[in-house]
Amino acid sequence: MHQPAVADTLHPITWPQGFTAAASFTFDVDAESCTIAHDPASTRRMSLMSHQSYGPRIAVPRLLTILQRQDVQATFFIPGFTAESYPDVVRQIVDGGHEVAHHGYLHEPMQGIDAATEARYIDRGLEALFNVAGVRPVGYRAPWWELNWHSPQLLADRGFLYDSSLLDGDAPYRFEVAAGDSRDLVEIPVDWALDDWEQYAFYPGVTGSGVIESPAKVLEMWWLEAQAHHSQGSCFVLTNHPFISGRPSKAVALEQLIERVKGLDGMWVTTMQRIAEHTKVSVTEVHSHARIAVPAFPDAGATFVPARVRQPAPL
């Protein structure tokens, strides 16, 4: 890139010595769970179930081989139901030195659910990951990236360090879990442009337009994004689904991208947990998120509580 990208000045961050930017390759191992959550009747569709099971059965071993060959540790967000259904695959991920993080139990729809219901989903996912692999994850990614306003407190109550479901930054930051609550979480933002679902996903009657992009085009787009994040000193987070990006030509393109990103001078390629741990100890500002209330649209109008940034109280 001839001109450096303009940095995310709202979320300033410095990286460990020797690094000027960060990147993390993440995988949402949804398997059958996301289609079942969308429509429980999908279990009657043998071909659809085979499409989803390709992820843990064929793609994850392929991706683990690629990651080992590239000497890269990744983060795998795994629904509890996937862990229970494919325990050996989850253990292979752990044995490969990768991070296992939380992604719901059955990839449940999150939009508008109450806190008690969401808490049951989180706890059931935690139980499954611990029973299968002895893992107590510190990271969370909401199914469909749908975080609720009460979600951060539920995560803090359970000792999570970070979330990766919001889309309001290029660099990690700390945010308060609720007004008046002194606790905070690290947010590692995501971006739909850096999700393979938008490029490749298609299944009749389930998702997609039927236009499946060329891996060459996707590689070019993601490489441009990686260069921009590197140039501005921010954090490149790629979200892949094994049943999509673990297919042959897509996996080849992904490995080419990993090689290129690793070759960027000063790029820290690591797990989300390590990025979150660094953010927690190196960033002092704690953000809130703007809240909008619309009690009776349109007659009553709306209220807007702006986001703010607070500095920690002096010791």
Side-chain angles (χ1 to χ4, degrees):
M1 299 184 71
H2 300 296
Q3 296 294 335
V6 179
D8 174 0
T9 57
L10 185 61
H11 306 117
I13 191 167
T14 57
W15 300 105
Q17 186 174 3
F19 298 108
T20 59
S24 191
F25 293 90
T26 73
F27 299 89
D28 292 1
V29 193
D30 296 345
E32 296 93 340
S33 66
C34 61
T35 52
I36 295 171
H38 177 70
D39 179 10
S42 65
T43 57
R44 303 171 190 167
R45 303 176 64 178
M46 184 177 181
S47 293
L48 173 57
M49 291 297 98
S50 73
H51 180 265
Q52 299 305 116
S53 70
Y54 183 95
R57 295 182 64 247
I58 308 300
V60 170
R62 174 178 292 145
L63 293 167
L64 289 176
T65 298
I66 288 171
L67 293 168
Q68 182 181 34
R69 188 157 61 200
Q70 293 297 326
D71 192 23
V72 165
Q73 277 70 56
T75 297
F76 289 77
F77 291 91
I78 305 178
F81 180 74
T82 299
E84 291 174 345
S85 301
Y86 301 96
D88 291 344
V89 173
V90 178
R91 295 184 192 115
Q92 289 173 27
I93 292 169
V94 173
D95 291 345
H98 305 287
E99 178 191 2
V100 167
H102 196 298
H103 196 42
Y105 175 74
L106 194 60
H107 206 278
E108 300 85 356
M110 306 299 289
Q111 187 174 0
I113 65 172
D114 62 79
T117 300
E118 184 170 348
R120 291 200 303 272
Y121 296 161
I122 295 172
D123 289 340
R124 193 171 183 187
L126 286 170
E127 181 181 10
L129 292 172
F130 183 79
N131 288 342
V132 166
V135 171
R136 180 76 184 189
V138 299
Y140 177 78
R141 174 173 284 165
W144 288 290
W145 292 346
E146 281 287 347
L147 212 63
N148 295 301
W149 290 105
H150 54 249
S151 304
Q153 282 187 299
L154 297 176
L155 298 176
D157 289 344
R158 287 154 179 79
F160 281 89
L161 169 65
Y162 75 88
D163 169 71
S164 183
S165 311
L166 302 179
L167 303 96
D168 59 347
D170 299 327
Y173 62 89
R174 293 168 60 185
F175 73 100
E176 65 180 22
V177 301
D181 192 321
S182 62
R183 299 173 298 172
D184 65 87
L185 295 172
V186 171
E187 179 62 33
I188 307 179
V190 287
D191 178 6
W192 283 114
L194 292 174
D195 189 313
D196 64 352
W197 191 279
E198 297 308 298
Q199 305 303 317
Y200 298 134
F202 173 70
Y203 201 89
V206 177
T207 190
S209 65
V211 177
I212 299 173
E213 296 289 356
S214 161
K217 175 260 186 183
V218 176
L219 172 60
E220 178 188 27
M221 182 180 73
W222 287 348
W223 174 233
L224 289 171
E225 289 286 343
Q227 291 178 93
H229 278 281
H230 174 259
S231 175
Q232 68 184 33
S234 57
C235 186
F236 173 82
V237 176
L238 186 67
T239 300
N240 287 142
H241 299 78
F243 70 87
I244 299 174
S245 283
R247 299 274 175 175
S249 66
K250 301 175 185 68
V252 169
L254 177 61
E255 183 165 16
Q256 291 173 357
L257 178 68
I258 293 172
E259 281 188 320
R260 292 184 187 183
V261 172
K262 282 174 51 184
L264 290 168
D265 186 43
M267 181 66 97
W268 185 29
V269 181
T270 188
T271 64
M272 300 282 269
Q273 179 176 350
R274 294 193 188 103
I275 291 171
E277 289 170 344
H278 172 75
T279 304
K280 187 73 171 182
V281 299
S282 65
V283 172
T284 58
E285 294 180 343
V286 177
H287 295 252
S288 71
H289 293 95
R291 295 288 298 266
I292 300 172
V294 186
F297 184 83
D299 295 337
T303 61
F304 180 77
V305 179
R308 59 185 176 83
V309 180
R310 63 175 171 86
Q311 298 286 350
L315 299 177

